[in-house]
Amino acid sequence: MDVAELSPAQARERFRAGLRVPTAGWCRGWTQANLIAVPRWLRYELLLFAHHNPQACPVLDVGEPGAWSTALFSGDLRTDLPGYRLYRAGEAVADLDDVVAEWREDLVPFLVGCSFTFERALQAAGVPVRHLELGTNVPMYLTNVPCRPTPSLSGPLVVSMRPVPEELVETAVEVTGRYPMVHGAPVHVGDPAELGIADLASPDFGDPVEVRAGEIPLFWACGVTPQAVVMASGVEFAIGHLPGHMAILDARDDDYRTAS
Amino acid sequence: MDVAELSPAQARERFRAGLRVPTAGWCRGWTQANLIAVPRWLRYELLLFAHHNPQACPVLDVGEPGAWSTALFSGDLRTDLPGYRLYRAGEAVADLDDVVAEWREDLVPFLVGCSFTFERALQAAGVPVRHLELGTNVPMYLTNVPCRPTPSLSGPLVVSMRPVPEELVETAVEVTGRYPMVHGAPVHVGDPAELGIADLASPDFGDPVEVRAGEIPLFWACGVTPQAVVMASGVEFAIGHLPGHMAILDARDDDYRTAS
């Protein structure tokens, strides 16, 4: 069965069984989200950080302390993502298939919008999405753009990149601008050096894709940003998803499209 | 001197000296904001409530616990508003000229967007604003529309009302829609009964204004909503501004206008 045709429950079942795979292209029409779970004492600051940086950290849902499901995610957040990354003292210490043993009673899970949400709309508008064509993970990069900090949370903006044929750049900007809750329009069009990205072929997360002649790289704010911030800020304990290995929500991509 | 010509610092000085007056029309071009200060333990939930209800509670700024100024308000939040309302156990227990004695070390001040911000733009677009013409406070109403709650915060949406000539309704909707951070477009156009408002002549806060023949009442989400929620939720302690007696920020109305 084509993974695009799976329901969120069917996909989660596969991930729960141990499949570790990027979720780009999975469960067509269903919204995917970034996970960042932090200790309760940090939840106010994380929510404030998200408020200060809405394009990078659009909060779709938040759970109660210790909860492993939320209003928009009826599965088990400890097992139903294809991969997890564990942080201690700001260091990524392990990539895991589940985090049942690590899920503390005071952990507060945040689900943050993901640009996979607008990829179907890009394709429908005739904009090719290379990493979907290749069946790989989207390339993501740390930038030299600082997020607006809070007293104890600071760090760089993370972006995802998609190469777009020159004549379709305007379309891509317009289409994604209709999805402000899942990063919206690109934060940058063109020269990666302006974001401090030295080499597009070496993404910090995900897989590289070719930028062909006549194509322009477009950069969107990315929901991996909170994980970069956890690292830069030396947060004592946090759990994120493995970049590109998302939580698949019980919500529809169209729910996040604005009217215009 | 016309109060519209005053700088924020000049206006705050008058309020600090004891002047208690609604601020509609004051300090033309400078942004006004609602105040709601809650104990530190409640700040996460209040921020989450604001996130859940962005049209009613657009957070422009938040202070540290015990602080009486913020990045956007360089005055003294305890003295530099023209009036305050003190809440204990969900009851409004006093209206005060200052709250120096009441400002606890654990109080966290939130500054919430105010629809006064777009009134100049309405007038510039040819839409009359009656309460400005009359020099009175804007009428505000409790509605029967519930906000999206958090575990311990729930309550009704509060709205402000401006009567608009029928032929200018579309203009008013469009102009205010350009200010999403200060309540944006109306939440309702027309029949007040649909919001559970029995009598426009008896606002719950502010002063009544006449709705003349050929005019339609337009209702905007109002930043007094957090105070209604504090009451409905029985919050142990909170300080708000006296409705219509706003904090005048060191920020410009134009800062909250979107590009389109």
Side-chain angles (χ1 to χ4, degrees):
Chain A
M1 191 176 186
D2 181 0
V3 296
E5 303 301 325
L6 295 177
S7 72
Q10 289 170 322
R12 289 179 203 141
E13 195 183 330
R14 296 196 184 189
F15 304 147
R16 192 159 59 241
L19 181 64
R20 187 189 292 186
V21 64
T23 51
W26 281 60
C27 301
R28 186 185 301 130
W30 292 96
T31 301
Q32 304 196 14
N34 301 272
L35 170 70
I36 184 73
V38 297
R40 180 182 183 140
W41 70 268
L42 197 60
R43 67 177 176 167
Y44 170 74
E45 272 208 53
L46 184 57
L47 189 57
L48 186 62
F49 184 89
H51 181 266
H52 285 347
N53 300 278
Q55 202 168 3
C57 305
V59 173
L60 303 185
D61 207 2
V62 191
E64 286 299 292
W68 52 77
S69 64
T70 73
L72 294 182
F73 188 88
S74 63
D76 186 328
L77 284 170
R78 306 168 305 171
T79 57
D80 292 3
L81 278 65
Y84 299 86
R85 188 159 281 176
L86 184 69
Y87 296 91
R88 292 187 194 278
E91 301 283 333
V93 293
D95 289 349
L96 301 166
D97 287 326
D98 75 71
V99 287
V100 172
E102 289 76 17
W103 201 264
R104 303 179 352 185
E105 275 186 16
D106 68 339
L107 267 192
V108 177
F110 287 69
L111 292 166
V112 171
C114 170
S115 56
F116 291 170
T117 308
F118 56 55
E119 289 184 336
R120 196 180 155 212
L122 280 173
Q123 291 181 315
V127 180
V129 179
R130 179 140 313 132
H131 69 94
L132 287 183
E133 292 164 3
L134 298 170
T136 58
N137 198 350
V138 69
M140 293 163 272
Y141 306 86
L142 296 163
T143 71
N144 63 5
V145 179
C147 294
R148 182 177 161 195
T150 67
S152 55
L153 291 176
S154 62
L157 175 69
V158 176
V159 292
S160 63
M161 189 279 286
R162 292 163 188 81
V164 173
E166 202 161 351
E167 67 278 12
L168 291 171
V169 167
E170 202 174 322
T171 303
V173 171
E174 193 198 332
V175 166
T176 59
R178 289 181 208 142
Y179 291 82
M181 277 305 285
V182 289
H183 307 305
V187 292
H188 181 62
V189 171
D191 187 5
E194 285 187 29
L195 296 176
I197 300 169
D199 182 8
L200 284 184
S202 303
D204 296 291
F205 314 97
D207 301 313
V209 298
E210 187 190 1
V211 182
R212 297 180 189 151
E215 291 181 339
I216 311 278
L218 267 59
F219 299 90
W220 281 266
C222 175
V224 171
T225 299
Q227 298 195 44
V229 166
V230 157
M231 297 186 73
S233 309
V235 168
E236 49 126 336
F237 186 84
I239 294 175
H241 65 292
L242 200 56
H245 300 62
M246 316 305 291
I248 302 182
L249 305 185
D250 307 295
R252 290 283 191 175
D253 293 347
D254 288 344
D255 298 344
Y256 299 103
R257 188 184 188 285
T258 56
S260 64
Chain B
M1 192 176 186
D2 181 358
V3 297
E5 302 301 325
L6 296 177
S7 71
Q10 288 171 323
R12 289 179 204 142
E13 193 182 329
R14 296 197 185 189
F15 304 147
R16 193 160 58 241
L19 180 64
R20 188 188 291 186
V21 64
T23 50
W26 281 60
C27 301
R28 185 183 304 130
W30 293 96
T31 301
Q32 303 196 14
N34 301 272
L35 170 70
I36 185 73
V38 297
R40 180 182 183 139
W41 70 267
L42 195 60
R43 69 177 176 166
Y44 170 75
E45 271 208 53
L46 184 57
L47 190 57
L48 186 62
F49 184 89
H51 182 266
H52 285 347
N53 299 278
Q55 202 167 3
C57 305
V59 174
L60 303 185
D61 208 1
V62 192
E64 287 299 292
W68 51 78
S69 65
T70 73
L72 294 182
F73 187 89
S74 63
D76 186 328
L77 284 170
R78 307 168 304 171
T79 57
D80 292 4
L81 278 65
Y84 298 86
R85 188 158 282 174
L86 184 68
Y87 297 91
R88 291 187 195 278
E91 301 283 332
V93 293
D95 289 349
L96 300 167
D97 287 326
D98 74 72
V99 287
V100 171
E102 289 76 16
W103 200 266
R104 301 177 356 183
E105 275 186 15
D106 69 338
L107 268 192
V108 177
F110 286 70
L111 292 167
V112 171
C114 169
S115 57
F116 290 170
T117 308
F118 56 55
E119 290 184 335
R120 195 180 156 212
L122 280 173
Q123 291 181 314
V127 179
V129 179
R130 179 139 314 132
H131 69 95
L132 286 183
E133 292 164 4
L134 297 171
T136 58
N137 199 349
V138 69
M140 293 163 270
Y141 306 86
L142 295 163
T143 70
N144 63 4
V145 179
C147 294
R148 182 177 161 195
T150 67
S152 55
L153 292 176
S154 62
L157 175 69
V158 176
V159 292
S160 63
M161 189 279 287
R162 292 163 187 81
V164 173
E166 202 161 351
E167 67 277 13
L168 291 171
V169 166
E170 201 173 324
T171 303
V173 170
E174 193 198 331
V175 167
T176 59
R178 289 180 207 144
Y179 292 83
M181 278 304 287
V182 289
H183 307 306
V187 292
H188 182 63
V189 171
D191 187 5
E194 285 186 30
L195 297 176
I197 300 169
D199 182 8
L200 284 184
S202 303
D204 295 291
F205 313 98
D207 302 313
V209 298
E210 187 189 359
V211 181
R212 296 182 189 151
E215 292 181 338
I216 311 279
L218 268 59
F219 300 90
W220 282 266
C222 177
V224 172
T225 299
Q227 298 195 43
V229 166
V230 157
M231 296 185 74
S233 308
V235 169
E236 48 126 337
F237 186 84
I239 294 174
H241 66 293
L242 200 58
H245 300 61
M246 317 304 290
I248 301 183
L249 305 185
D250 308 295
R252 290 284 191 174
D253 293 348
D254 288 344
D255 298 344
Y256 299 104
R257 187 184 188 284
T258 55
S260 63

